[in-house]
Each structure stands twice: as structure tokens, then as C-alpha cells.
């Protein structure tokens, strides 16, 4: 995923955060933090953005003690964004 796509994903998530229901706003906010970190971590090599984002989510989702519903919702929203 290129830097432009990372920025597009970020902006799309911002829009979802502003217009979605409570769950969608929470999922968007959660993903925005991860997207921001992945963008910052891959500034020199933006094609690694998606890999970094995926790694970040895989390592922190279990630690954050989210409900299964929230985890599924976060994954579903990300999948929707990447279509």
C-alpha cells in the first residue's frame, strides 16, 4: 500500500469516526491510532505500510482485552476500508 493509500485510509477512517454509530466511531478511533503509527513507522518505506499496520494490530489486539465483537468490528471496518 502506498503513502497515498495510507493517507486515503486515514481520511476515510476520520470520516467514519464523525458519521458512524457508537461502535463504528470506536472502531475508527482504534484504527486511526494504528494507522498513524504505521504511517510514521514507514515514512522512509511507505510500501511497508499495510504490513506494519497488520503487525501492529496483531500484537496489540490481544493485549487490549477487547470483546470478540469489538475485534470482529475492527477487522470488518478495516476490510471495508481496503476494498
Amino acid at each position: 500500500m502506498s503513502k497515498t493509500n495510507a493517507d486515503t485510509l486515514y481520511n476515510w477512517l476520520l470520516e467514519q469516526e464523525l458519521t458512524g454509530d457508537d461502535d463504528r466511531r470506536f472502531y475508527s478511533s482504534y484504527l486511526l491510532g494504528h494507522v498513524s503509527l504505521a504511517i510514521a513507522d514507514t515514512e522512509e518505506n511507505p510500501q511497508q505500510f499495510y504490513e506494519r499496520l497488520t503487525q501492529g494490530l496483531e500484537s496489540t489486539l490481544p493485549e487490549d482485552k477487547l470483546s470478540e465483537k469489538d475485534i470482529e468490528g475492527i477487522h470488518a471496518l478495516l476490510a471495508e476500508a481496503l476494498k
Side-chain angles (χ1 to χ4, degrees):
M1 182 172 277
S2 72
K3 177 80 165 115
T4 302
N5 288 339
D7 290 338
T8 300
L9 172 60
Y10 185 86
N11 290 326
W12 185 83
L13 287 169
L14 280 175
E15 184 179 317
Q16 301 311 301
E17 185 182 43
L18 294 173
T19 61
D21 62 20
D22 287 345
D23 287 338
R24 196 166 183 91
R25 285 195 301 262
F26 171 71
Y27 306 151
S28 299
S29 295
Y30 186 89
L31 285 168
L32 280 165
H34 286 279
V35 169
S36 295
L37 289 173
I39 288 171
D41 287 349
T42 59
E43 263 187 79
E44 299 293 320
N45 202 356
Q47 59 272 22
Q48 292 181 342
F49 167 77
Y50 183 74
E51 180 182 343
R52 176 63 185 99
L53 176 61
T54 302
Q55 289 171 346
L57 287 171
E58 287 176 3
S59 67
T60 59
L61 275 171
E63 294 175 8
D64 287 341
K65 299 181 179 151
L66 300 171
S67 71
E68 192 61 38
K69 176 186 176 257
D70 287 340
I71 292 170
E72 289 172 7
I74 288 165
H75 284 295
L77 185 62
L78 183 58
E80 180 182 337
L82 297 175
K83 284 184 187 177

